[in-house]
Amino acid sequence: MAQDNPKIHDDGISDLGISLSDYRPSWDEYFMLLAKLAATRSTCFSRPVGAVIVLDRRILATGYNGAAPGAWHCTDKRECYWRQPENHVPGMEPRDLSRAIHAEMNAMAHAARKGIIIEGGTIYCTLSPCMNCFKVLISAGIKQVFFEHIYDFNNQGGDKYLLEFYKQYEEQITVNQLAITQRTLDTAVKFISETTSQRRHDNY
């Protein structure tokens, strides 16, 4: 169905034109928005996560959480695999049976497969990295992490422990939580929900 055109103001500039003329997201917000878009491809039945690896303000790789390429996904079966009692293995933590590869791991794996060097880069994640992903990020040479939401360990207080864990490696990597401003979110919604590339002004 065709969408209504953006409102045209008396001066001939559309809503989108005004949004971009008056305001642009910061670089950090821009890359976090892209991580959020990557998360729309997630196939994890528990929670969607997206990640973007950047160097010198250029995107190197993206990733989202889900099963290995070519394998069936938890969203295909409408259930989280490791949470089903029939899939549990004696002596193993159920969470270790997860079929999902984390978004950060998938981004790094994509870079490795394509021969892309990510050393010195920054990663933007919609969820703070787990301990295993965090250690691999350090090993891969990532120097900075921005995350939107803290990994809350099912509201069991693990988020505080995770932040303390990060501090052990503060000489190797910096970690920051990033909240996208409402104005940036509103601008992004306009650009996504409306026809993006219409002329800003009739005379230009």
Side-chain angles (χ1 to χ4, degrees):
M1 180 180 294
Q3 296 181 342
D4 294 335
N5 290 334
K7 178 181 177 182
I8 302 298
H9 297 268
D10 292 339
D11 57 6
I13 301 179
S14 68
D15 283 340
L16 290 180
I18 288 177
S19 295
L20 192 55
S21 296
D22 293 346
Y23 179 78
R24 291 199 301 169
S26 69
W27 282 105
D28 291 332
E29 289 180 314
Y30 167 66
F31 293 124
M32 186 62 77
L33 284 171
L34 294 178
K36 291 167 79 69
L37 282 176
T40 65
R41 290 285 303 164
S42 168
T43 61
C44 177
F45 200 69
S46 176
R47 67 170 97 200
V49 183
V52 175
I53 299 175
V54 175
L55 182 64
D56 296 332
R57 295 180 177 176
R58 295 295 179 263
I59 298 166
L60 301 181
T62 65
Y64 53 85
N65 57 333
W72 61 263
H73 301 283
C74 289
T75 49
D76 295 334
K77 300 195 174 184
R78 300 282 196 267
E79 65 180 24
C80 183
Y81 178 83
W82 71 264
R83 295 179 188 271
Q84 309 310 309
E86 65 271 20
N87 296 326
H88 291 179
V89 176
M92 291 186 66
E93 287 292 328
R95 192 182 297 271
D96 292 337
L97 301 172
S98 172
R99 292 177 57 80
I101 302 170
H102 289 185
E104 305 93 320
M105 290 286 198
N106 266 328
M108 289 187 285
H110 173 76
R113 291 178 66 172
K114 299 300 181 181
I116 300 171
I117 298 173
I118 61 174
E119 185 176 7
T122 297
I123 190 166
Y124 295 81
C125 315
T126 59
L127 185 67
S128 59
C130 72
M131 290 176 285
N132 286 333
C133 284
F134 190 71
K135 289 182 288 187
V136 177
L137 287 169
I138 295 172
S139 183
I142 296 295
K143 295 301 182 183
Q144 194 167 22
V145 175
F146 285 95
F147 69 88
E148 180 185 46
H149 180 65
I150 186 70
Y151 193 0
D152 50 20
F153 289 86
N154 296 325
N155 299 316
Q156 297 177 11
D159 51 338
K160 295 180 181 178
Y161 173 80
L162 190 58
L163 292 174
E164 289 299 317
F165 178 81
Y166 292 161
K167 289 182 181 179
Q168 299 179 53
Y169 301 94
E170 58 188 4
E171 293 184 3
Q172 288 79 34
I173 190 170
T174 61
V175 182
N176 296 283
Q177 189 166 14
L178 174 65
I180 300 176
T181 65
Q182 189 60 50
R183 188 170 185 186
T184 290
L185 291 172
D186 291 343
T187 300
V189 168
K190 278 183 174 293
F191 273 69
I192 293 172
S193 62
E194 300 177 7
T195 302
T196 302
S197 297
Q198 292 194 37
R199 291 183 183 275
R200 296 196 210 180
H201 194 286
D202 289 340
N203 298 323
Y204 300 140

